[in-house]
Amino acid sequence: MTDTTPVQESAADAVQTVIAHADSETEPLNLGLLTDEEVYLYADDVAAAGPYGTWFAALPEEQRQAAALAAVRVLTSRGEIDSVLSDDGAADVRLPTQLTAAVVLRRLEAQLSLRVIGALGETWYVLRHVRGELYLREGISPQGYHALSLVRLDDAERELFLERFQLPEGAESVEPLDLDITLTETQLEAASIEITQQLRFLDDTAYIGNLATTAADGTIETSMVHVLSDARIVVGDLAAGRVHYRGITPATLRERWDAWRQAQSGRVSADADSGLNAHPELLTTPVVAGDDAS
């Protein structure tokens, strides 16, 4: 992190500064890079601070605390974050403007999250509504790096969403699998011969994505996206104790993005019930211990 922006005195100042900057730009605004250790340390609720990279997620709580404190000590000693000792010897740690804003905006609810376990390991792609057309995009690597940017839901972002599925070469041209079946949990547990034959694609799954999106009514829609070794794709939509499996193409994933984006536009038009406007308290919540964000 090489941001040399002056440290903000409040979370509200930092957030308003980056929103104003992003509103004046047409391209995504990079807010910086955080590690798992920093995400954990700056969280107002460590239980909800994830997701994390593979290594940090596997650590017990005590080791997470130790790793986080060690990381921030290194960053402070290098001058990458600011630390001021008070009269009683306590450290008042403050972050640069863009990272302060990133930490605050991460506390908003995810409107779309995609977890892929594939060739690159476990990766995450998360979008949170901020205000108006702006969303916080968070990409998480298996090594635990969190890349944070303010973006809009344009066609370029849709293509980035599709890239996150790590579809193999040829996926655009392959014919979809001839499959359309709805199974209850009871049927899946019974695993009859007929059902087992219909689910043979599971043995050919090269990697899988878990997609969760917020619908127009605020409910969460969940799907499993199986990428097969021959580049074909099967989606399993979960609802009401049932799974609907069907063969799809990358075009179907684009259509799903478009439908979600349309649902978001309906929710965002009200704006008072979404993003920062629905959670003004985030602007007065301390970002790190010792930070007076009021």
Side-chain angles (χ1 to χ4, degrees):
M1 291 176 291
T2 59
D3 187 347
T4 57
T5 307
V7 174
Q8 292 287 330
E9 293 185 356
S10 73
D13 287 342
V15 169
Q16 297 304 333
T17 296
V18 300
I19 287 178
H21 189 178
D23 280 339
S24 67
E25 301 286 340
T26 57
E27 297 297 319
L29 176 63
N30 176 31
L31 298 184
L33 191 69
L34 292 171
T35 64
D36 281 342
E37 293 87 344
E38 291 177 279
V39 166
Y40 176 89
L41 187 69
Y42 306 150
D44 59 338
D45 179 5
V46 294
Y52 299 114
T54 306
W55 174 77
F56 195 83
L59 292 179
E61 190 64 21
E62 288 186 1
Q63 291 185 28
R64 287 185 182 184
Q65 293 176 6
L69 290 173
V72 79
R73 284 168 61 88
V74 171
L75 292 170
T76 303
S77 68
R78 292 177 179 171
E80 296 182 32
I81 60 176
D82 189 46
S83 180
V84 179
L85 291 177
S86 62
D87 293 338
D88 61 3
D92 182 10
V93 178
R94 295 174 183 267
L95 305 177
T97 300
Q98 291 187 335
L99 287 184
T100 297
V103 169
V104 172
L105 298 179
R106 277 195 85 253
R107 297 171 181 171
L108 293 167
E109 301 98 336
Q111 299 299 309
L112 180 151
S113 68
L114 172 63
R115 172 181 179 245
V116 174
I117 303 175
L120 303 178
E122 181 181 280
T123 63
W124 288 83
Y125 170 85
V126 183
L127 290 170
R128 299 173 173 90
H129 180 231
V130 175
R131 183 175 291 164
E133 296 181 344
L134 294 178
Y135 284 72
L136 179 73
R137 178 218 294 155
E138 180 176 12
I140 307 172
S141 74
Q143 297 78 22
Y145 292 101
H146 301 244
L148 297 135
S149 304
L150 286 179
V151 303
R152 293 174 176 81
L153 303 182
D154 53 20
D155 290 345
E157 193 64 29
R158 182 181 67 176
E159 291 309 301
L160 179 60
F161 162 74
L162 196 67
E163 289 175 11
R164 294 293 179 159
F165 285 98
Q166 303 174 33
L167 301 179
E169 187 176 351
E172 295 282 0
S173 58
V174 70
E175 289 294 320
L177 187 67
D178 183 15
L179 175 70
D180 194 330
I181 180 175
T182 299
L183 301 172
T184 65
E185 292 181 359
T186 301
Q187 288 175 310
L188 287 169
E189 291 172 358
S192 67
I193 294 177
E194 179 184 0
I195 291 176
T196 301
Q197 289 178 337
Q198 291 175 310
L199 298 180
R200 283 180 298 179
F201 72 88
L202 294 174
D203 294 330
D204 197 31
T205 297
Y207 39 93
I208 187 170
N210 300 113
L211 176 64
T213 56
T214 301
D217 61 0
T219 59
I220 306 299
E221 299 179 345
T222 306
S223 302
M224 299 176 293
V225 180
H226 299 260
V227 180
L228 310 187
S229 58
D230 61 3
R232 291 187 292 182
I233 309 168
V234 173
V235 65
D237 295 320
L238 287 71
R242 292 176 168 79
V243 184
H244 178 204
Y245 288 111
R246 58 195 175 98
I248 65 169
T249 66
T252 309
L253 295 176
R254 292 190 182 94
E255 291 167 2
R256 178 156 297 195
W257 165 277
D258 290 339
W260 170 77
R261 178 169 56 183
Q262 183 62 37
Q264 284 289 299
S265 67
R267 298 187 72 223
V268 171
S269 62
D271 218 26
D273 298 324
S274 183
L276 279 175
N277 289 349
H279 298 282
E281 73 280 1
L282 294 182
L283 298 180
T284 57
T285 302
V287 175
V288 292
D291 180 30
D292 179 12
S294 60

